[in-house]
Amino acid sequence: MSDAATRRPNGLALFILPSALLFALFFLLPIGLMALMSVLTGNPVVAPKVAFTTRHYARMFDDPYYLEVIWTTIRIGLVTTLVALAIGYPLAHWMARIRSRTGHALLLMAVLAPMLTGIVVRTFAWMTLLSDKGVINQTLISLGIISQPLKLMYTETGIVVGLVHIYVPFMVLTLTGVIGRIDERLEQAAENLGASPLRAFIEVTLPLSLPGILAGSLLVFALAISAYVTPILLGGFQIMTLPILIYQQISANFNVGFAAALGIILLMISLLLVIAYNHALGLVSGQRELQ
Amino acid sequence: MTKALGSSRLSRRRFLTASASLGIGTIAAPYVARADDPTLRITGWGGKWGEIMKAEIGPAFENEFKCKLQIDSAFPYLPKLQASSRSAPIYDVMHTNSNEQWAAAEMGLVEPKIDPKLVPNLADVYPYAISDKIVGVSIFTSAIGLGMRTDKGYGSVSSWKELWDAKYNGVRGGYVIPVNSLGQAFLMMCGTLFGKGQLDLDAAYTALEKLKPIKIVDFTGAMEKMLLSGEVGLCVIHDSGIYRYDGQNQPTDFVAPSEGVLSLEQVLTITPGSKMKELANAYVNYMLRPDVQKRLAETVWYSPANRKVKLDAKYDAKLLTTPEKVSKLIQVDWKWYNERKDEIDQRVNRIFRA
């Protein structure tokens, strides 16, 4: 076999061209434009005199308010991820190990059912439950358990509840595939050697499912920190997150440059997370890093 | 012979082709027929305003001026105009509130004034509609005051300051100031109520701090729903947001505070790069016509800007239809406000965060 023959491009590789073009057009180009807008004084297409500036980033780091908003966004993302993992892992484990095909189908339907309804509708449903005149507060008041409504909405807890409900299916579906591929005989071997079921789970199943935990967590965190509808409806603008601030800058302050800088920061947070994920995955799979 | 007969038979393929052609033709016919009509691109609200514009006011304008009206009711309008080319703007006429119009004028996206020679009805409007606080022309206004529940035994309300009464803790309603005109106007009112005037921001911030706990929403429609559901008992709202439920036996009422009501103007401006200037001016003139003003005012409960409009008694009693009533309107200096908007936003975001 000659070198020329081995270097000849695979004809099937051409099939990737449309998706590569799509990716370049609808992802790389907008991100590139956003990065450019974040370091310009205005829009060069419509404004006559535009110069490079770092003022949008300086504004963000000069004022602790924006750093607080960034931290609030990350905090909501982290808590949502942890709660989604705590709820999703047992469910995914059950789905992966259930013997009955009907049972598996029913569980899958239960997990997927919320995804068949729009995020706005689901969030409004939470509002009818959590508001001062909502089902929970009115029930507790009518039972005489409380006299004043509990502050369930317009809090970070309310936002996390809404986000967890929306993103748990992403965690479950990611984990189910990974847990399902773990050979059950490994757990059985551990138990045969004297390990309790809990110890077998902790020392065998849990480490082997780490790639799924990391992938599911990455997905949920990225979705949670970029969520707009749920934080705005359940937070009532009293909990400011980066996506809300970005929308505010575009729709009410008409400051596209600052909004772009905030968008770049949001993207950087996600990118750092992906890098950390790659390293972590490399370590748990026994490699120094993913090639 | 057989072949000839066969060719005239209606096959499934022919039937489907004919049906598809007929369907496409039916759908496309109005567009093809009006392909040569000039198109005026405007912005406008949804809800009742959008319904009547689509059903009556818009089609009547199209018939009279032999044009097509393309209405964008997907907010926010200004960022879209900002992103479009100055020489080929996305809108010919922009309809939005006064604060945004000022921002648009500062960016050179809309013409600051309407030419009275091209819009004759401008001669008949109340002075506030073309005052130095207005970019373009205000075609309608609402009065921003207080909305209250009448079934909670709160007693009568007559002053803005009663919003600070501790009995409204938990049922007090306000707005997300950075994104809402009513919220921004109310902030200026706080300066007047507790400080040296509209421009006294420090007094306004102190007053806003004392308003907590308060339920805040981003748009007036959400406030209307909260008031109707009883989530709030006393709130900042415009009169149309209460009066539009007239006849539905809702336990809500509008209060015009003794210190005066703030003006929420519905403003029209023309974009400098519009290729439809003549039609744009005709549209502004049309919207100021007494018959159009009357129809819209009695549908959405906005106070007409044209002095010559005679509303039916029911509307005349509640809306701002006389020079005396109009004189109670307090206009906000939006130019001054917009110059400080970033600073104000940062401060109020801090005040109202949970």
Side-chain angles (χ1 to χ4, degrees):
Chain A
M1 185 70 73
S2 68
D3 279 358
T6 53
R7 280 182 202 147
R8 198 170 55 201
N10 187 343
L12 287 173
L14 289 173
F15 284 107
I16 211 168
L17 197 63
S19 52
L21 282 173
L22 205 70
F23 183 75
L25 194 64
F26 293 106
F27 185 77
L28 292 179
L29 185 65
I31 295 286
L33 286 174
M34 184 168 77
L36 183 65
M37 289 299 293
S38 74
V39 290
L40 291 179
T41 52
N43 183 349
V45 179
V46 293
K49 287 178 185 172
V50 170
F52 282 101
T53 180
T54 55
R55 73 170 186 224
H56 302 307
Y57 290 97
R59 178 181 168 188
M60 207 181 312
F61 294 108
D62 285 350
D63 189 334
Y65 174 72
Y66 297 113
L67 299 178
E68 285 169 31
V69 171
I70 293 169
W71 172 234
T72 303
T73 311
I74 294 172
R75 189 171 59 234
I76 288 174
L78 285 173
V79 177
T80 302
T81 306
L82 288 173
V83 178
L85 180 63
I87 294 171
Y89 196 98
L91 196 57
H93 193 274
W94 190 18
M95 274 180 70
R97 294 292 158 83
I98 195 166
R99 303 284 178 206
S100 159
R101 290 175 75 88
T102 313
H104 184 269
L106 286 172
L107 276 175
L108 189 63
M109 278 169 65
V111 169
L112 291 179
M115 296 179 79
L116 301 175
T117 314
I119 287 177
V120 176
V121 176
R122 275 183 280 171
T123 307
F124 268 110
W126 276 110
M127 288 172 76
T128 62
L129 291 173
L130 301 177
S131 69
D132 286 2
K133 298 277 177 187
V135 176
I136 295 173
N137 272 319
Q138 289 304 301
T139 307
L140 293 174
I141 288 172
S142 63
L143 291 173
I145 297 169
I146 54 171
S147 57
Q148 291 293 317
L150 299 173
K151 195 165 171 53
L152 302 173
M153 252 174 70
Y154 310 133
T155 60
E156 278 188 34
T157 311
I159 295 175
V160 169
V161 167
L163 289 176
V164 166
H165 176 228
I166 290 162
Y167 297 133
V168 152
F170 293 90
M171 182 67 86
V172 172
L173 295 175
T174 312
L175 280 167
T176 306
V178 174
I179 297 172
R181 282 196 296 274
I182 299 172
D183 193 340
E184 280 185 70
R185 288 174 299 181
L186 293 170
E187 287 174 41
Q188 289 161 4
E191 286 181 34
N192 283 342
L193 291 168
S196 65
L198 179 65
R199 189 165 177 199
F201 169 76
I202 290 171
E203 296 204 7
V204 178
T205 314
L206 193 60
L208 290 173
S209 62
L210 266 179
I213 292 173
L214 287 170
S217 301
L218 176 73
L219 190 62
V220 170
F221 182 82
L223 289 169
I225 61 166
S226 57
Y228 174 75
V229 173
T230 307
I232 215 163
L233 292 177
L234 291 174
F237 285 96
Q238 293 175 43
I239 312 287
M240 187 62 74
T241 62
L242 268 178
I244 298 174
L245 194 58
I246 291 170
Y247 179 74
Q248 201 178 88
Q249 286 301 318
I250 289 177
S251 70
N253 294 57
F254 322 113
N255 192 343
V256 180
F258 187 52
L262 290 167
I264 290 294
I265 293 296
L266 190 62
L267 183 71
M268 295 310 290
I269 294 169
S270 301
L271 282 178
L272 283 173
L273 200 82
V274 171
I275 292 166
Y277 164 76
N278 274 347
H279 277 280
L281 199 61
L283 290 172
V284 298
S285 57
Q287 302 162 18
R288 291 296 300 163
E289 60 184 282
L290 285 181
Q291 298 298 311
Chain B
M1 183 67 186
T2 311
K3 195 176 176 184
L5 279 171
S7 65
S8 65
R9 199 175 61 200
L10 182 64
S11 67
R12 187 170 59 182
R13 181 174 293 178
R14 278 186 181 177
F15 175 74
L16 288 173
T17 310
S19 301
S21 307
L22 190 66
I24 292 167
T26 308
I27 293 167
Y31 297 97
V32 172
R34 304 174 76 175
D36 291 335
D37 285 348
T39 301
L40 187 73
R41 292 155 308 163
I42 63 168
T43 65
W45 307 127
K48 285 260 183 197
W49 176 277
E51 284 168 24
I52 192 172
M53 281 299 293
K54 198 175 172 186
E56 284 182 44
I57 309 293
F61 178 78
E62 289 175 334
N63 287 336
E64 189 175 332
F65 292 91
K66 303 285 175 270
C67 66
K68 193 169 172 292
L69 209 54
Q70 198 176 79
I71 308 174
D72 181 3
S73 56
F75 197 76
Y77 310 126
L78 186 46
K80 293 190 216 172
L81 183 62
Q82 199 182 3
S84 69
S85 162
R86 302 279 170 107
S87 56
I90 188 171
Y91 309 124
D92 300 298
V93 177
M94 185 160 79
H95 172 187
T96 188
N97 292 142
S98 200
N99 53 347
E100 288 196 347
Q101 295 285 11
W102 270 104
E106 289 293 310
M107 287 188 263
L109 299 174
V110 297
E111 290 178 348
K113 291 290 169 194
I114 304 278
D115 188 345
K117 288 180 203 140
L118 303 173
V119 181
N121 286 330
L122 223 53
D124 298 328
V125 299
Y126 287 109
Y128 82 84
I130 46 171
S131 75
D132 59 354
K133 300 270 176 64
I134 292 286
V135 163
V137 58
S138 170
I139 55 169
F140 290 98
T141 190
S142 299
I144 304 172
L146 294 170
M148 68 176 294
R149 293 282 298 197
T150 52
D151 59 342
K152 303 287 183 189
Y154 295 138
S156 65
V157 172
S158 61
S159 166
W160 282 103
K161 290 185 177 175
E162 287 176 64
L163 193 62
W164 277 261
D165 192 320
K167 72 179 173 189
Y168 299 111
N169 284 356
V171 289
R172 192 181 284 122
Y175 297 91
V176 182
I177 290 173
V179 299
N180 187 281
S181 305
L182 281 83
Q184 292 164 15
F186 176 66
L187 179 138
M188 303 290 270
M189 190 65 185
C190 289
T192 306
L193 293 171
F194 298 99
K196 295 170 194 155
Q198 277 195 16
L199 313 187
D200 192 346
L201 287 176
D202 288 333
Y205 295 144
T206 309
L208 289 175
E209 278 281 3
K210 290 175 183 166
L211 261 186
K212 294 193 289 185
I214 182 170
K215 287 173 179 163
I216 56 172
V217 294
D218 57 339
F219 78 112
T220 47
M223 187 62 83
E224 288 168 29
K225 301 289 177 291
M226 284 177 76
L227 191 63
L228 291 173
S229 69
E231 280 273 321
V232 299
L234 188 68
C235 63
V236 178
I237 201 163
H238 58 132
D239 54 359
S240 347
I242 301 290
Y243 294 151
R244 71 182 59 172
Y245 300 99
D246 183 73
Q248 295 181 22
N249 288 324
Q250 295 291 350
T252 56
D253 201 4
F254 178 75
V255 176
S258 56
E259 297 92 342
V261 288
L262 290 152
S263 179
L264 179 67
E265 299 103 347
Q266 304 297 326
V267 180
L268 293 186
T269 50
I270 297 171
T271 51
S274 168
K275 305 286 189 292
M276 296 285 162
K277 282 278 174 63
E278 197 179 330
L279 202 53
N281 280 301
Y283 176 75
V284 176
N285 198 50
Y286 173 80
M287 292 299 279
L288 286 169
R289 235 157 62 176
D291 57 328
V292 175
Q293 289 255 295
K294 178 178 163 66
R295 186 75 184 100
L296 278 164
E298 292 182 354
T299 304
V300 294
W301 289 88
Y302 283 163
S303 298
N306 192 321
R307 284 180 279 122
K308 293 185 172 171
V309 178
K310 297 283 175 231
L311 298 182
D312 293 350
K314 180 173 99 171
Y315 304 96
D316 193 46
K318 291 184 172 178
L319 295 178
L320 308 169
T321 50
T322 63
E324 294 74 39
K325 288 184 187 175
V326 166
S327 68
K328 298 235 173 75
L329 279 172
I330 299 169
Q331 287 188 292
V332 171
D333 187 344
W334 291 115
K335 186 174 188 296
W336 184 90
Y337 186 98
N338 285 344
E339 282 166 2
R340 291 153 186 83
K341 189 169 187 310
D342 280 339
E343 169 206 328
I344 294 171
D345 287 355
Q346 283 179 40
R347 188 68 184 267
V348 294
N349 275 338
R350 278 194 177 91
I351 290 172
F352 289 116
R353 72 180 157 187

